Amino acid sequence: MFDITTETIEWAGRTLTLETGRMARQANGAVLATYGETTVLATAVAMKEVKPGMDFFPLTVNYQEKYFAAGKIPGGYFKREGRPTDKETLTSRLIDRPIRPLFPKGFKNDTQVMITVLSHDLENDPDIVGMVAASAALCLSGLPFLGPIGAARVGYKDGAYIINPTVAEMAEGDLDLVVAGTADAVMMVESEAKELSEEVMLGAVTAGHESFQPVIDAIIRLAERAAKEPWDFVPEDHSAIEADVRKLIGKDIEKAYKITNKTERVAALAEAKTKAVEALGASEERPDGVPGNVLKDAIKTVEASVVRGSIIKTGKRIDGRKLDQVRAIVSEAGILPRTHGSALFTRGETQALCVATLGTGEDEQYIDALTGTYKERFLLHYNFPPYSVGETSFRLAPGRREIGHGKLAWRALNAVMPSAEQFPYTIRLVSEITESNGSSSMATVCGGALALMDAGVPISRPVSGIAMGLIKDPEGVAILSDILGDEDHLGDMDFKVAGTEKGVTSLQMDIKIAGITQEIMKTALDQAHAGRAYILDEMNKALGESRSGLAAHAPKIETIQIPTDKIRDVIGTGGKVIRQIVEETGAKLDVNDDGLIKIAAVDQAAIDAARDWVISLTAEPEVGKVYKGKVVKVVDFGAFVNFFGPKDGLVHVSQMKNERVGHPGDVVSEGQQVWIKLMGMDDRGKFKLSMKVLDQETGQELSDAAE
């Protein structure tokens, strides 16, 4: 019934098996990939007909983790997989980025690649397996995919690279780098590092690229045995239309791209495009004119040719800068009065308003993952409102781009964040992009670092980031520092590097051509290093290190460690005691299973009151120590005083004053606050207290008091 084809190799100490012919047989291409005991199903399907008017390549990559893969049932009310998690969204982007450039120009058939995690051994991350499976499925599908690609994860520990480290090994290493590419060149890099040098990062990319060559060979062998007949796709030749567009508005485009102001440049380009549409576009009066999608492609091709050619020939950019020149920077910290930390970072026409908020343990985010549920105390949310580019749009939940840019900035800053022991706060950083013309994610890194320092978060060092671009033509190669939006759209590479003065903390690279060489990568890294240093200097003009104290409106947190067998005393039956502490003191309490208690409040007095209350519940009173207590009952022979949480003791009438007292009620009354000293225990184990040895105004001991 099944015509099963498999290919098996040993890769980085584990077995990788690629299988086709048993599952999803109606897809154009389907591959079941197993690495260790992690199994992923990847399918590729494309529609035979192109939708009318389609002017872009409609590729969709969907990665989904099934909870049954790890023997789990989803949390929540509905008990089924719902909206994509951030991990699923980020992995979808990770797989999309290296495969998208390998479809030929002009292919506009609706194409969908789906990757489903069916089994997870809790050791091998499914993202790499999914990328390999997707590459294999596309190669078997017959679609015009110019692959295959391979992919690998690279770790780094004790000076050595680790290929495809396990989840446990990743937690102990200094690097998490994913690299994907063809047999000849690198297509995509995504990484998080602990301030590593450019040389180490480049070495990791090279090590990863070399490691997945056997995977590419295995996919080719599988395709030779099981691939479907290739589609008969021949790109349409629009060179004549492009020539007409160049002749009609080529000079107008050249003139527009000499305008350095983005708004004015966009207006000039729009005018040129309107001129082309009116002269060449199809309409009811001119049905034989150029279709709108074809004309749009032709205009973009002419635009790219003009911009790229000018940069290669003149060495100058759209806004007049040199290739390695960074735009003007203005850094401002502490610009919002009531927030815990804020910064406005402006670089040219890109601007990020970053705000840091400090919270308590109850603000930590619970992440439900295949490997288990864990808590995240550093949150970074990136927002890209349409007004930042002078447009309007319907606002929905954060899209893939916003999640991806936010995670990139999170990776860049996470390496310098303090531990929970150093700084017991939950930290939320929000980046609102108020203007955008190139690399708002790197502006988020810079503004985010300033906002964290303004909030008093003791990060180890400031972090800056820069976006690099590439133009690679037969006429030459140009590497661009701090790229504009147009240079990104019309160029061949988007290469983002973030780090401190000590080293790189994050690196992300996307290639729009068939890969780049190691030499180009090295040059880009070196040029980026100089750019990052310049940006750091500009940031230091606003704020060079974390402020020594927290903002007036930020919560203050103190920690106290109690024995684990005393936790129940603090919480009380049904939470009665801890609720009472919170209600009466105004402080928040977060109790961990190991007995660590975090006490938070804006007012220090509230923290002191809650801390003293907790101590009174969990510690034992010390003989000879002075306490302040409350009289709870007056009897003929003395008064009972509550002085240490729930603990009461007796002040005998003879211990009330250094003179004869007729009746205890003549000295104290119920509810009165008094200073007492713990003198010891009686024969029945009851506390013996004294008031007469203390000054009842100050609590100071009286040296001449009679004992």
Side-chain angles (χ1 to χ4, degrees):
M1 181 175 181
F2 300 116
D3 183 13
I4 299 174
T5 306
T6 62
E7 191 68 39
T8 300
I9 63 170
E10 289 299 312
W11 183 34
R14 279 143 285 176
T15 302
L16 172 67
T17 300
L18 304 176
E19 174 193 299
T20 188
R22 181 163 51 156
M23 292 188 187
R25 291 173 294 165
Q26 296 184 47
N28 292 122
V31 169
L32 189 72
T34 301
Y35 190 53
E37 292 184 341
T38 293
T39 300
V40 170
L41 174 66
T43 61
V45 176
M47 302 302 292
K48 284 290 186 181
E49 303 296 328
V50 180
K51 293 179 181 177
M54 183 62 65
D55 59 0
F56 65 96
F57 174 36
L59 170 66
T60 304
V61 176
N62 292 316
Y63 167 92
Q64 185 178 31
E65 296 178 339
K66 297 294 185 179
Y67 278 77
F68 61 69
K72 295 178 62 177
I73 295 175
Y77 184 78
F78 293 103
K79 298 300 178 186
R80 70 175 298 165
E81 291 81 2
R83 63 179 294 272
T85 64
D86 282 1
K87 167 67 185 300
E88 290 171 321
T89 298
L90 293 167
T91 305
S92 296
R93 283 172 52 88
L94 197 71
I95 298 172
D96 181 299
R97 285 156 46 196
I99 66 175
R100 184 178 292 272
L102 295 178
F103 282 87
K105 182 180 179 181
F107 185 72
K108 296 177 181 176
N109 299 59
D110 199 351
T111 303
Q112 186 175 45
V113 177
M114 298 190 69
I115 304 97
T116 309
V117 180
L118 304 180
S119 176
H120 186 17
D121 59 13
L122 308 184
E123 290 187 356
N124 300 290
D125 197 309
D127 56 1
I128 297 297
V129 190
M131 201 175 306
V132 170
S135 170
L138 285 167
C139 289
L140 299 183
S141 67
L143 301 179
F145 174 65
L146 306 177
I149 64 162
R153 172 170 271 106
V154 183
Y156 185 74
K157 184 180 180 183
D158 298 330
Y161 296 114
I162 307 170
I163 302 301
N164 293 342
T166 63
V167 173
E169 289 173 329
M170 283 305 310
E172 300 173 353
D174 297 326
L175 175 67
D176 179 3
L177 182 142
V178 175
V179 57
T182 63
D184 302 320
V186 172
M187 298 293 300
M188 184 276 298
V189 178
E190 181 83 33
S191 67
E192 178 183 349
K194 295 181 179 178
E195 298 181 283
L196 299 178
S197 68
E198 280 81 0
E199 290 76 16
V200 171
M201 299 298 291
L202 183 59
V205 173
T206 302
H209 185 253
E210 292 174 352
S211 74
F212 61 65
Q213 297 306 312
V215 176
I216 291 178
D217 294 339
I219 294 174
I220 291 173
R221 290 195 298 269
L222 184 70
E224 289 173 344
R225 299 161 56 199
K228 296 180 179 178
E229 287 297 318
W231 284 28
D232 185 17
F233 172 75
V234 178
E236 296 181 11
D237 183 6
H238 297 146
S239 57
I241 299 171
E242 292 168 9
D244 290 340
V245 170
R246 184 182 298 275
K247 182 178 179 181
L248 183 66
I249 63 169
K251 296 294 183 183
D252 297 330
I253 291 177
E254 288 180 17
K255 184 178 179 181
Y257 274 107
K258 290 179 181 178
I259 302 173
T260 57
N261 180 272
K262 178 186 175 182
T263 303
E264 295 175 9
R265 181 171 62 250
V266 168
L269 287 170
E271 186 177 336
K273 292 172 185 178
T274 300
K275 179 179 176 181
V277 171
E278 291 176 349
L280 303 174
S283 63
E284 293 183 3
E285 296 78 15
R286 193 171 54 248
D288 58 341
V290 180
N293 59 320
V294 175
L295 185 56
K296 183 177 179 180
D297 279 352
I299 293 172
K300 184 176 179 180
T301 299
V302 173
E303 273 190 86
S305 175
V306 168
V307 172
R308 294 162 66 91
S310 174
I311 291 174
I312 292 290
K313 291 173 185 175
T314 67
K316 288 198 173 182
R317 319 265 290 276
I318 293 172
D319 56 1
R321 283 182 291 149
K322 298 177 182 179
L323 300 184
D324 61 352
Q325 186 177 354
V326 178
R327 288 172 288 177
I329 291 173
V330 177
S331 299
E332 303 170 79
I335 66 168
L336 299 177
R338 294 281 299 192
T339 60
H340 300 165
S342 61
L344 186 68
F345 181 82
T346 308
R347 187 188 59 241
E349 295 168 309
T350 295
Q351 186 179 76
L353 173 64
C354 297
V355 181
T357 306
L358 306 181
T360 63
E362 67 181 24
D363 297 311
E364 292 179 332
Q365 182 178 12
Y366 283 83
I367 308 293
D368 193 15
L370 291 184
T371 51
T373 301
Y374 65 93
K375 293 191 289 185
E376 181 58 64
R377 55 181 289 270
F378 174 39
L379 315 174
L380 194 153
H381 298 142
Y382 165 102
N383 299 312
F384 192 87
Y387 67 75
S388 64
V389 288
E391 296 178 357
T392 62
S393 69
F394 186 68
R395 295 293 289 158
L396 297 171
R400 287 187 173 189
R401 180 183 181 277
E402 289 177 300
I403 293 172
H405 279 41
K407 187 63 176 181
L408 174 60
W410 182 93
R411 290 190 177 107
L413 293 167
N414 188 52
V416 300
M417 296 297 291
S419 66
E421 291 72 27
Q422 293 175 292
F423 195 69
Y425 288 84
T426 298
I427 304 161
R428 182 183 184 228
L429 185 63
V430 177
S431 175
E432 297 287 335
I433 304 304
T434 52
E435 292 183 44
S436 181
N437 185 15
S439 192
S440 54
S441 62
M442 294 298 95
T444 296
V445 172
C446 301
L450 289 169
L452 290 171
M453 291 190 292
D454 184 53
V457 179
I459 62 175
S460 56
R461 274 169 289 278
V463 182
S464 67
I466 190 170
M468 310 295 293
L470 171 71
I471 293 176
K472 187 173 182 288
D473 277 347
E475 291 79 14
V477 174
I479 296 174
L480 316 178
S481 295
D482 181 24
I483 55 175
L484 300 174
D486 286 333
E487 292 170 340
D488 183 6
H489 301 150
L490 304 176
D492 298 323
M493 176 181 76
D494 184 9
F495 189 16
K496 298 183 176 75
V497 188
T500 67
E501 61 180 5
K502 183 180 176 182
V504 175
T505 58
S506 182
L507 186 154
Q508 183 188 83
M509 182 184 74
D510 291 314
I511 300 297
K512 303 172 188 176
I513 54 178
I516 63 170
T517 64
Q518 183 174 340
E519 181 182 357
I520 291 176
M521 277 195 65
K522 184 179 187 310
T523 303
L525 278 169
D526 291 342
Q527 195 166 310
H529 180 86
R532 286 195 297 107
Y534 169 77
I535 295 170
L536 272 176
D537 288 341
E538 294 298 308
M539 291 168 57
N540 287 339
K541 293 177 181 178
L543 193 60
E545 60 183 17
S546 298
R547 300 195 190 279
S548 57
L550 303 183
H553 303 290
K556 298 173 178 61
I557 296 181
E558 290 189 12
T559 60
I560 181 173
Q561 186 72 47
I562 66 170
T564 54
D565 60 354
K566 296 288 186 179
I567 293 176
R568 66 172 69 91
D569 297 330
V570 176
I571 295 176
T573 305
K576 178 181 178 181
V577 174
I578 196 169
R579 282 198 303 271
Q580 184 181 5
I581 297 174
V582 171
E583 289 171 2
E584 294 193 18
T585 66
K588 292 182 179 180
L589 273 72
D590 180 45
V591 183
N592 291 346
D593 294 338
D594 60 359
L596 182 69
I597 299 180
K598 297 177 184 178
I599 306 172
V602 175
D603 183 11
Q604 183 63 43
I607 293 179
D608 294 341
R611 182 190 61 240
D612 293 344
W613 196 327
V614 170
I615 291 174
S616 72
L617 292 170
T618 58
E620 295 296 330
E622 300 178 26
V623 175
K625 194 168 182 180
V626 175
Y627 299 95
K628 192 167 189 179
K630 182 172 70 172
V631 177
V632 292
K633 188 176 183 180
V634 179
V635 293
D636 291 340
F637 51 86
F640 288 98
V641 176
N642 174 233
F643 71 100
F644 201 81
K647 297 177 175 62
D648 295 341
L650 173 66
V651 179
H652 191 268
V653 65
S654 64
Q655 292 294 319
M656 287 186 169
K657 279 193 171 186
N658 287 312
E659 58 188 59
R660 188 177 182 281
V661 176
H663 189 276
D666 298 335
V667 180
V668 297
S669 59
E670 290 186 12
Q672 182 180 340
Q673 298 285 330
V674 296
W675 288 101
I676 56 93
K677 181 177 181 180
L678 176 59
M679 308 302 293
M681 313 281 285
D682 64 17
D683 296 338
R684 296 176 297 171
K686 302 296 184 181
F687 295 112
K688 296 191 299 180
L689 310 177
S690 175
M691 291 171 54
K692 72 178 184 180
V693 298
L694 303 173
D695 183 331
Q696 289 300 310
E697 294 293 328
T698 65
Q700 297 294 318
E701 293 199 48
L702 302 174
S703 58
D704 60 344
E707 294 291 336

